[in-house]
Amino acid sequence: MDIILLGPPGAGKGTQASRLEDEHGMVQLSTGDMLRAAVKAGTEVGLKAKALMDAGELVPDEVVSGIIGDKLDDLGAGASVIFDGYPRTAAQAVALDEILANRDRALDHVVELEVDEDALVERIVGRFTCGNCGEGYHDTFKQPAKADVCDACGASQFKRRPDDNEETVRTRMKEYRAKTEPILPIYEARGIVKKVDGMGSMDDVSNAIESALSLD
Ligand code: ADP
Ligand code: ADP
Ligand code: ZN
């Protein structure tokens, strides 16, 4: 089963993708994570992406579609994939269809996380992650059980993304509204869009996704 998790920055895509990995053995493919890894490694892709990411603007379509194709080849046919943060434009949606068809894969569902924009800024500015294992946290909504110690791996180094500030978030939301939201009708026409309320607790959202996907 291959699915897309679609929603604006801070909607909970990464949080829910990681739960689907843990509970259902799916594999998260996050273009944001891949680009951040490329920036950190100083690769050619990373050099191209860094300034755009810092400004909250989109990285060119060919760059992200290229890395998604490569990752799928690394994974092989057996994996069930969650696309997180991809596709984000009509050109990427077209590219994804081709990337999947070339590998005898197809999209089964598009899960749209519906969230209030006002809540998103609060979610984004409070976001931090474990510097060792990547576990996600939030200043208000998900503190580690023991202060400054990661629940998942015990490390005590946390990090915040340079683009998780209010100004950049506004640009990212504008990009989402202008370029990403308009791709929904492509999938609605295929009857594969499942709308899920993203405003509940993390557990409520997980349950809603599981029932939308008929997972148990
Ligand atoms: P996205 O990947 O869509 O940008 P994240 O999953 O990283 O979003 O979530 C953004 C922030 O909001 C994180 O700090 C996360 O812990 C928190 N968060 C995610 N889902 C919820 C929720 N349902 N309620 C409250 N906070 C949430
Ligand atoms: P969020 O989780 O807040 O939605 P991401 O981690 O998915 O953010 O993306 C961070 C940044 O990486 C984006 O603002 C953009 O610059 C770049 N990026 C990630 N995925 C894509 C994509 N599919 N197309 C273009 N740019 C992307
Ligand atoms: Zn950790």
Side-chain angles (χ1 to χ4, degrees), residues 122-123 125-128 137-143 160:
E122 188 185 10
R123 283 197 189 175
V125 280
R127 168 161 65 185
F128 63 100
Y137 293 96
H138 191 279
D139 291 330
T140 309
F141 305 122
K142 189 190 165 191
Q143 284 279 358
R160 289 178 192 263

Side-chain angles (χ1 to χ4, degrees), residues 157-170:
Q157 247 183 304
F158 295 90
K159 58 183 187 188
R160 289 178 192 263
R161 284 169 44 180
D163 59 338
D164 277 350
N165 58 74
E166 182 154 359
E167 191 198 342
T168 307
V169 167
R170 302 270 175 213

